[in-house]
């Protein structure tokens, strides 16, 4: 499978690139900063400079040409203001959706976040971020792509334990980025997760057991 990852220099994205490369998949790594190309290459992705905030849909479609699937793992990042939460976390994800439609990439994985199911109304940056995620998720859910929305809880840099809980209903928790990347890689090839919103945190089950518990009766 050929996979385009938006935000390829991000902490989850680099981990995902390593997992997918080990499985033999081809990776297109979209980056904003050309200085990040070396690290993205080391993770196994082919870096392509494409700033989702500035690029047109047509330019993004060209950048992801040949991809069977796209993963939105980009974000404005810590320290950014509310305006960039909207232009990146919302508008960037929606641009990638339009580009996936234009380029013929059927599969779309959205890295969202817990709390997007019921975003608050305030004007603080975190509240704006959750609304941006919610609006991007809604646009994807209304599309004809084979989408899956993943909403992890608090992200940590702890080593992956390989044990998670996956649920269709919101629940609180935290999860290593290593384990989120492993779940994303597994989701790409599991048709049972299409058109599903899934919450992911650390748990007692292996990733395979968690998949069966959450999706075993689907499809």
């Amino acid at each position: 499978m050929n996979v385009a990852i938006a935000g390829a220099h991000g902490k989850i994205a680099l981990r995902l690139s390593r997992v997918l490369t080990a499985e033999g998949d081809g990776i297109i790594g979209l980056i904003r900063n050309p200085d990040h190309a070396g690290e993205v290459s080391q993770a196994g992705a082919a870096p392509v400079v494409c700033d989702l905030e500035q690029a047109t849909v047509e330019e993004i479609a060209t950048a992801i040409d040949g991809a069977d699937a796209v993963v939105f793992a980009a974000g404005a990042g810590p320290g950014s203001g509310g305006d960039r939460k909207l232009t990146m976390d919302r508008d960037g994800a929606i641009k990638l959706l339009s580009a996936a439609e234009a380029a013929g990439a059927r599969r779309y994985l959205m890295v969202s976040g817990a709390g997007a199911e019921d975003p608050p109304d305030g004007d603080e940056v975190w509240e704006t971020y959750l609304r941006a995620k919610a609006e991007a998720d809604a646009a994807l859910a209304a599309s004809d792509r084979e989408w899956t929305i993943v909403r992890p809880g608090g992200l940590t840099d702890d080593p992956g334990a390989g044990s998670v809980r996956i649920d269709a209903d919101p629940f609180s928790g935290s999860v290593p980025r290593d384990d989120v990347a492993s779940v994303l890689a597994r989701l790409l090839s599991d048709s049972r997760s299409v058109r599903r919103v899934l919450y992911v945190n650390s748990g007692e089950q292996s990733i395979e057991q968690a998949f069966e518990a959450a999706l075993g009766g689907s499809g």
Side-chain angles (χ1 to χ4, degrees), residues 9-190:
H9 187 253
K11 291 183 176 182
I12 290 175
L14 288 171
R15 289 165 166 82
L16 177 59
S17 291
R18 296 185 190 104
V19 173
L20 293 177
T21 298
E23 294 177 353
D25 294 313
I27 313 298
I28 301 167
L30 302 186
I31 54 175
R32 179 178 61 85
N33 186 344
D35 292 342
H36 294 158
E39 193 171 354
V40 169
S41 293
Q42 290 174 2
V48 176
V49 177
C50 183
D51 184 345
L52 294 186
E53 289 179 283
Q54 303 299 325
T56 66
V57 169
E58 292 74 17
E59 288 168 338
I60 300 168
T62 298
I64 66 171
D65 184 50
D68 304 299
V70 300
V71 180
F72 185 81
S80 58
D83 288 346
R84 287 207 66 223
K85 303 302 185 189
L86 297 175
T87 58
M88 185 71 253
D89 294 276
R90 182 190 64 190
D91 300 344
I94 293 173
K95 273 190 185 179
L96 183 64
L97 171 59
S98 296
E101 293 168 344
R106 293 293 307 167
R107 193 78 170 97
Y108 191 127
L109 288 191
M110 177 78 83
V111 182
S112 184
E117 69 281 353
D118 187 22
D121 295 328
D123 295 326
E124 297 298 323
V125 171
W126 179 249
E127 295 163 337
T128 302
Y129 166 77
L130 287 177
R131 288 200 305 277
K133 282 294 191 186
E135 290 170 16
D137 291 354
L140 180 59
S143 77
D144 66 351
R145 298 299 90 183
E146 295 172 359
W147 57 265
T148 305
I149 295 166
V150 180
R151 291 178 175 163
L155 297 169
T156 76
D157 289 327
D158 296 334
S163 55
V164 297
R165 175 184 168 191
I166 301 173
D167 206 310
D169 297 319
F171 68 102
S172 299
S174 62
V175 60
R177 290 177 172 88
D178 283 347
D179 289 332
V180 174
S182 295
V183 168
L184 292 171
R186 178 73 172 76
L187 283 170
L188 279 168
S189 59
D190 196 321

